[in-house]
């Protein structure tokens, strides 16, 4: 089973998010792009951001309702830029009804090689970005009477694998979600995490392995009981559920979307 990229046919959805105002960080490629397209297909107005302008422009050109998309280029690990984006997005959309912290990345190698800067950058891109996104969007969600927040974590947050700095940051995100869900419940704000397994995204690591080293890829597939890696649209569907009214009784939890994956990387452990 292979992924063919975001399914643009989903632009004719059920309309369950019609009139809702959603924000997704890191929405120009990969999982973030799938989330943005799904929300747009269901009638939402969406704000998103990415480091580079061209992928955002390509996204805008490919959708049927470009006026429903607000996009900015920025580095979400820079606090003042992220906070400004949140306020600009809320102004452009007329408020916020839901937020997804999707942007994330890792730096550095193993413990003998990873620098203090690698650890700090990995933390800021994952935990720092998600925390500031929640803090800066909370006032807008309160104005809307509450709303859902979803933090994209990873199975690496509780299934050990290299590198430690990434797993530690993802574990921190999962714990942070459970704490913030209690803190913000009084305001009607729900906070949940989704932890994807290894996703087969065109052009990314596992897709390159599938094409360039099929023997290694087949070994990696053995980590999945069903033999197939996770598809990004499968993760996007769960995130959309957590943003919807159908999940109004769900908060403070972490939902794995990993097809029962064992080790989070081919490097094991």
């Amino acid at each position: 089973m292979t992924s063919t990229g975001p399914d643009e046919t989903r632009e004719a959805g059920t309309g369950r998010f019609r009139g809702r105002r959603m924000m997704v960080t890191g929405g120009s490629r990969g999982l973030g792009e799938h989330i943005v397209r799904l929300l747009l297909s269901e009638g939402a107005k969406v704000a998103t951001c990415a480091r580079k302008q061209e992928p955002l422009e390509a996204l805008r050109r490919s959708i049927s309702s470009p006026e429903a998309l607000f996009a900015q280029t920025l580095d979400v690990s820079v606090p003042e830029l992220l906070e400004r984006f949140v306020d600009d997005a809320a102004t452009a959309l007329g408020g916020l009804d839901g937020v997804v912290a999707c942007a994330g990345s890792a730096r550095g190698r193993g413990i003998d090689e990873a620098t203090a800067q690698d650890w700090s950058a990995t933390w800021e891109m994952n935990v720092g970005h998600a925390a500031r996104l929640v803090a800066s969007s909370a006032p807008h969600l309160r104005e809307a009477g509450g709303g859902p927040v979803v933090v994209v974590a990873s199975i690496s947050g509780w299934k050990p694998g290299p590198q430690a700095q990434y797993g530690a940051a993802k574990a921190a995100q999962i714990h942070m979600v459970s704490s913030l869900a209690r803190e913000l419940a009084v305001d009607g704000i729900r906070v949940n995490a989704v932890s994807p397994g290894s996703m087969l995204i065109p052009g990314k690591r596992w897709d390159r392995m599938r094409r360039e080293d099929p023997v290694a890829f087949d070994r990696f597939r053995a980590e999945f009981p069903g033999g197939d890696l996770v598809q990004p649209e499968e993760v996007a569907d769960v995130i959309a559920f957590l943003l919807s009214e159908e999940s109004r009784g769900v908060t403070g939890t972490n939902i794995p979307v990993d097809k029962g994956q064992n080790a989070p990387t081919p490097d094991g452990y």
Side-chain angles (χ1 to χ4, degrees):
M1 183 176 180
T2 60
S3 176
T4 58
D7 185 355
E8 295 180 27
T9 64
R10 299 180 81 166
E11 289 196 31
T14 64
R16 61 178 158 163
F17 295 118
R18 194 173 309 282
R20 302 288 296 281
R21 303 154 300 180
M22 301 293 190
M23 174 185 294
V24 182
T25 59
S28 67
R29 296 183 295 181
L31 174 60
E33 182 181 355
H34 280 272
I35 298 167
V36 169
R37 289 185 182 277
L38 178 54
L39 294 175
L40 288 169
S41 77
E42 298 287 355
K45 294 191 292 183
V46 181
T48 193
C49 60
R51 289 176 181 266
K52 297 180 179 179
Q53 182 67 26
E54 178 50 36
L56 290 173
E57 289 302 321
L59 173 62
R60 186 186 302 278
R61 290 192 298 268
S62 71
I63 59 178
S64 60
S65 300
E67 70 281 358
L69 180 69
F70 174 81
Q72 279 187 359
T73 56
L74 68 138
D75 180 348
V76 298
S77 68
V78 180
E80 58 270 23
L81 296 181
L82 178 60
E83 291 162 3
R84 187 183 310 143
F85 166 68
V86 172
D87 289 340
D88 288 348
T91 298
L93 300 184
L96 289 176
D97 298 302
V99 174
V100 182
C102 186
S105 64
R107 267 183 45 178
R109 297 183 180 273
I111 192 65
D112 291 331
E113 300 178 54
T115 65
Q117 290 75 23
D118 292 332
W119 279 82
S120 177
T122 301
W123 180 271
E124 285 302 319
M125 190 62 192
N126 295 282
V127 187
H129 140 247
R132 283 188 292 272
L133 184 68
V134 175
S136 56
S137 62
H140 300 290
L141 293 173
R142 290 188 188 104
E143 286 184 14
V149 174
V150 180
V151 174
V152 178
S154 169
I155 65 166
S156 294
W158 78 95
K159 293 182 179 181
Q163 276 65 45
Q165 59 269 30
Y166 181 71
K170 290 301 181 180
Q173 281 186 322
I174 293 168
H175 183 87
M176 180 180 69
V177 159
S178 63
S179 180
L180 291 178
R182 290 177 175 268
E183 181 178 346
L184 296 173
V186 67
D187 298 313
I189 299 173
R190 299 185 292 109
V191 189
N192 291 289
V194 168
S195 286
S198 298
M199 291 181 285
L200 192 60
I201 298 174
K204 296 295 186 179
R205 179 181 180 184
W206 312 126
D207 182 50
R208 293 196 303 270
M209 177 187 284
R210 179 182 60 83
R211 291 182 282 106
E212 299 168 6
D213 192 347
V215 174
F217 182 74
D218 282 342
R219 285 199 303 269
F220 184 39
R221 287 178 59 201
E223 299 291 347
F224 298 80
D228 287 319
L229 275 67
V230 178
Q231 301 297 318
E233 57 264 34
E234 295 168 336
V235 183
D237 283 339
V238 174
I239 292 171
F241 165 71
L242 290 173
L243 291 171
S244 73
E245 282 299 304
E246 285 83 357
S247 67
R248 60 190 176 276
V250 182
T251 193
T253 193
N254 173 48
I255 300 180
V257 188
D258 61 7
K259 292 190 172 178
Q261 182 177 357
N262 184 23
T265 75
D267 305 308
Y269 51 87

